[in-house]
């Protein structure tokens, strides 16, 4: 398996794919880091993203973490591959209270078909970062399947 080795190529693919994600647009999310095996996504607190107590809703946290993990995996996949999440588990460690949030995805084990990643979500409240969630995420590298490309 030939992994991505052209930094501009994987970065362009991640940015292009991210731009097509309606979910990330809905969250107001932005890519803040793209490196081999590592992607960070940040978003600001907004009333439409909260649960009843004003914290960022767990569904929003998991959505952004899933994307961060998926794109981290994509940076390690062949140029003609698409990425799909096949499983994730999230641990919610603290209320997601803050003005801004940073979700980081990191590749733990790249593979030809299956890639394992981990994610961490941080709430940034009055300039201080606090770990609010962790995720274990398993991804599938999909090639030569009609309708799937990143």
């Amino acid at each position: 398996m030939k992994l991505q080795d052209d930094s501009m190529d994987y970065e362009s693919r991640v940015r292009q794919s991210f731009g097509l994600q309606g979910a990330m647009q809905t969250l107001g999310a932005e890519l803040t880091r793209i490196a081999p095996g590592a992607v960070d996504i940040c978003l600001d607190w907004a009333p439409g993203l909260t649960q009843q107590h004003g914290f960022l809703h767990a569904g929003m946290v998991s959505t952004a973490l899933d994307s961060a993990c998926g794109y981290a995996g994509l940076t390690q996949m062949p140029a003609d591959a698409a990425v799909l999440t096949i499983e994730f588990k999230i641990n919610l460690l603290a209320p997601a209270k803050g003005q801004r949030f940073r979700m980081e995805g990191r590749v733990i084990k790249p593979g030809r078909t299956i890639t394992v990643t981990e994610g961490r979500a941080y709430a940034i409240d009055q300039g201080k970062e606090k770990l609010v969630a962790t995720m274990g995420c398993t991804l599938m590298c999909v090639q030569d399947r009609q309708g799937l490309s990143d």
Side-chain angles (χ1 to χ4, degrees), residues 104-122:
E104 53 180 47
R106 301 295 184 263
V107 171
I108 303 304
K109 168 108 178 33
R112 186 174 8 155
T113 305
I114 302 297
T115 294
V116 177
T117 62
E118 289 183 346
R120 292 178 184 242
Y122 296 90

Side-chain angles (χ1 to χ4, degrees), residues 32-49:
T32 57
R33 179 178 182 202
I34 304 171
V39 167
D40 288 3
I41 295 174
C42 289
L43 59 117
D44 291 330
W45 182 92
L49 304 178

Side-chain angles (χ1 to χ4, degrees), residues 84 140 142-149:
L84 291 175
M140 178 181 280
V142 181
Q143 293 178 281
D144 301 321
R145 189 167 306 170
Q146 189 173 7
L148 291 178
S149 64

Side-chain angles (χ1 to χ4, degrees), residues 50-113:
T50 64
Q51 44 84 289
Q52 69 275 17
H53 302 296
F55 306 131
L56 191 68
H57 192 284
M60 307 307 156
V61 173
S62 63
T63 298
L65 267 179
D66 174 44
S67 285
C69 287
Y71 285 123
L74 185 65
T75 69
Q76 303 277 282
M77 293 181 184
D80 63 344
V83 63
L84 291 175
T85 300
I86 58 174
E87 180 270 342
F88 70 70
K89 179 190 184 300
I90 188 165
N91 291 301
L92 303 167
L93 308 173
K97 178 184 178 220
Q99 296 79 47
R100 190 156 170 84
F101 302 89
R102 182 171 61 86
M103 315 303 180
E104 53 180 47
R106 301 295 184 263
V107 171
I108 303 304
K109 168 108 178 33
R112 186 174 8 155
T113 305

